[in-house]
Amino acid sequence: MELGARFPPCKLGRSFTGWVQRTFQSTQAAAASQNSCAVDDNKATAPVPEDCPVSSYNEWDPLEEVIVGRAENACVPPFSVEVKANTYEKNWEFYQKFGGQSFPRDHLKKAIAEIEEMCNILKMEGVIVKRPEPIDWSVKYKTPDFESTGMYAAMPRDILLVVGNEIIEAPMAWRARFFEYRAYRPVIKDYFHRGAKWTTAPKPTMADELYDQDYPIHSVQDRHKLAAQGKFVTTEFEPCFDAADFIRAGRDIFVQRSQVTNNSGIEWMRRHLAPEYRVHTLSFKDPNPMHIDATLNIIGPGLVLSNPDRPCHQIEFFKKAGWTVIYPPLPLIPDDHPLWMSSKWLSMNVLMLDEKRVMVDANETPIQKMFENLGISTIKVNIRHANSLGGGFHCWTCDIRRRGTLQSYLD
């Protein structure tokens, strides 16, 4: 990741525990502040401004503002049990060797340049672009339950979910991502001060009990068998989820139980969003479920992309509702291109700018033709090196404002 303005570095030899304590103290202070505000009836009942900067109900209304992630200072996460369960055996040596260190710097430099170009193109398309703060993710930290280094702030889709005028911070499930929210706090606080709702889901301790320490992974066949049995590396010790396991279609929100999202986390979201929103759990023939948007991606009202390699067990639900199910073509990404955290199916991890415009990989000509046959114009951008960090256009972004209203598309 490219160097830039960052938070003040810790002094050599200084325990990072102090940083953790300050973080928890700031959370307590925020709670105290919230309580004091509750006493002030004028503040407590103030309506949301009509010009609230946060408003998004689905994946396809006209995009007006977006957060785009950063590759700067990205670090390989330590090779812990939850990382092992979410990655493929061919990459395990890479994690064992480089865990806690920077991703290859030449590769990062190219990824940074690609994302900068992506931001420029979004701006040219009339979209306001916000970015998280650059942070030194190599700094070690310690909680009462674990020690780790950080990872990155590259994928805002993983940590932030916008539902209406509310930003929900996901609790996450990887220890290397425990403090990832810090990079987004400045921009989220700005949205809050301008009228947005801001919710942080219960933060898990990420103690050993959250993970099956003996999760048996030896082959893809093992993964298929375990997933079919509903067994994942995360237990139900406490709620956890990544925001990218949820995808929105107005009043209906779809989610999968995955390696990073447990049933307790899904239930928390279901209760939190009820009764205005309905949360539906889907499942797939997927040996390594983690984030739904390269498996099932909703690209328009009644229009859904379904990964042919990972069939959805509930796909008839969409068909009976009159939706069109589209199976995207095989991706073209070469076998020798490093994909440390994802599969080639990032080709379908697209970003809709509206119902008739889509941001798609410049190298993926088959899916470009698919969209053009649907009457959707393609905005072609090359982010091959950025793909290596685990995401496509949908992952690298979090849409903050889309011009539209709350509707139901399944009634």
Side-chain angles (χ1 to χ4, degrees):
M1 294 184 171
E2 189 176 14
L3 296 176
R6 64 176 67 182
F7 292 98
C10 295
K11 295 180 181 179
L12 291 174
R14 180 177 178 181
S15 170
F16 207 61
T17 304
W19 176 51
V20 176
Q21 290 172 340
R22 288 197 302 276
T23 302
F24 292 157
Q25 287 167 356
S26 68
T27 303
Q28 292 170 343
S33 174
Q34 189 175 32
N35 290 339
S36 66
C37 287
V39 178
D40 189 331
D41 291 338
N42 293 328
K43 290 184 179 179
T45 60
V48 175
E50 291 183 5
D51 60 347
C52 179
V54 175
S55 180
S56 183
Y57 297 100
N58 57 48
E59 309 291 337
W60 63 81
D61 277 341
L63 183 62
E64 296 183 340
E65 185 162 341
V66 69
I67 297 176
V68 177
R70 286 190 180 275
E72 285 86 345
N73 308 323
C75 284
V76 180
F79 193 56
S80 51
V81 63
E82 75 275 17
V83 173
K84 181 178 181 181
N86 282 276
T87 52
Y88 289 104
E89 188 174 1
K90 65 180 181 180
N91 292 319
W92 288 352
E93 185 178 352
F94 173 83
Y95 284 97
Q96 290 169 326
K97 183 176 180 179
F98 296 108
Q101 303 176 50
S102 172
F103 280 95
R105 296 191 184 278
D106 287 345
H107 200 100
L108 274 188
K109 186 177 180 180
K110 293 174 182 176
I112 291 166
E114 290 171 350
I115 297 304
E116 289 297 328
E117 178 63 12
M118 173 184 163
C119 289
N120 290 336
I121 292 171
L122 283 167
K123 292 173 186 176
M124 287 190 290
E125 293 292 330
V127 179
I128 296 171
V129 175
K130 301 290 187 179
R131 311 293 300 279
E133 293 291 314
I135 289 180
D136 182 359
W137 299 105
S138 68
V139 178
K140 291 182 180 180
Y141 50 82
K142 180 179 181 180
T143 79
D145 298 286
F146 68 90
E147 296 182 22
S148 186
T149 48
M151 195 165 94
Y152 55 33
M155 311 293 165
R157 189 75 58 177
D158 295 358
I159 190 170
L160 302 176
L161 179 67
V162 173
V163 181
N165 66 353
E166 179 181 16
I167 301 177
I168 300 173
E169 277 185 32
M172 312 302 284
W174 283 18
R175 289 170 167 175
R177 307 189 77 173
F178 190 86
F179 286 109
E180 192 166 318
Y181 68 87
R182 295 178 69 246
Y184 297 94
R185 282 294 172 87
V187 67
I188 295 175
K189 285 190 290 185
D190 177 62
Y191 290 138
F192 174 72
H193 293 317
R194 293 161 57 197
K197 291 176 66 177
W198 172 19
T199 299
T200 60
K203 196 69 175 173
T205 62
M206 297 190 186
D208 288 348
E209 291 88 344
L210 180 58
Y211 311 102
D212 180 351
Q213 302 293 331
D214 299 314
Y215 191 69
I217 309 170
H218 301 289
S219 66
V220 173
Q221 288 73 25
D222 286 339
R223 291 175 185 267
H224 272 295
K225 183 178 179 180
L226 290 165
Q229 295 171 351
K231 295 181 179 179
F232 305 93
V233 71
T234 46
T235 68
E236 298 297 331
F237 175 70
E238 55 191 348
C240 67
F241 64 85
D242 282 11
D245 270 323
F246 294 81
I247 198 158
R248 306 156 304 152
R251 291 192 183 276
D252 294 280
I253 297 174
F254 300 92
V255 63
Q256 66 171 350
R257 199 326 182 175
S258 75
Q259 300 286 19
V260 293
T261 295
N262 62 14
N263 290 320
S264 300
I266 294 171
E267 181 59 24
W268 184 91
M269 281 287 284
R270 182 174 284 116
R271 295 183 197 178
H272 178 73
L273 294 172
E276 197 164 20
Y277 298 90
R278 299 167 292 216
V279 177
H280 310 269
T281 302
L282 302 177
S283 60
F284 305 86
K285 186 180 179 182
D286 185 354
N288 193 40
M290 178 182 176
H291 303 164
I292 199 170
D293 50 0
T295 300
L296 184 128
N297 198 352
I298 301 173
I299 60 172
L303 200 59
V304 60
L305 296 182
S306 182
N307 189 323
D309 277 359
R310 306 170 193 162
C312 177
H313 297 137
Q314 297 82 19
I315 200 65
E316 290 300 319
F317 174 85
F318 296 96
K319 293 179 179 179
K320 288 179 181 178
W323 283 40
T324 300
V325 178
I326 300 170
Y327 299 96
L330 294 174
L332 297 181
I333 193 163
D335 290 338
D336 60 354
H337 185 78
L339 289 172
W340 296 302
M341 297 187 185
S342 58
S343 76
K344 294 182 180 183
W345 282 105
L346 292 177
S347 58
M348 63 176 283
N349 187 256
V350 297
L351 177 68
M352 302 303 297
L353 273 58
D354 55 41
E355 289 183 41
K356 295 299 180 182
R357 290 182 299 160
V358 61
M359 184 166 280
V360 65
D361 195 285
N363 304 284
E364 294 290 343
T365 52
I367 202 167
Q368 292 169 21
K369 292 177 182 177
M370 182 204 77
F371 280 114
E372 289 161 3
N373 289 336
L374 292 169
I376 300 172
S377 300
T378 55
I379 300 167
K380 305 172 185 66
V381 186
N382 177 27
I383 59 166
R384 273 287 188 256
H385 293 86
N387 287 157
S388 300
L389 299 181
F393 299 105
H394 199 255
C395 297
W396 275 92
T397 58
C398 175
D399 42 304
I400 293 298
R401 189 171 64 257
R402 289 183 180 271
R403 191 170 63 253
T405 58
L406 178 60
Q407 299 182 41
S408 178
Y409 302 94
L410 284 164
D411 290 339

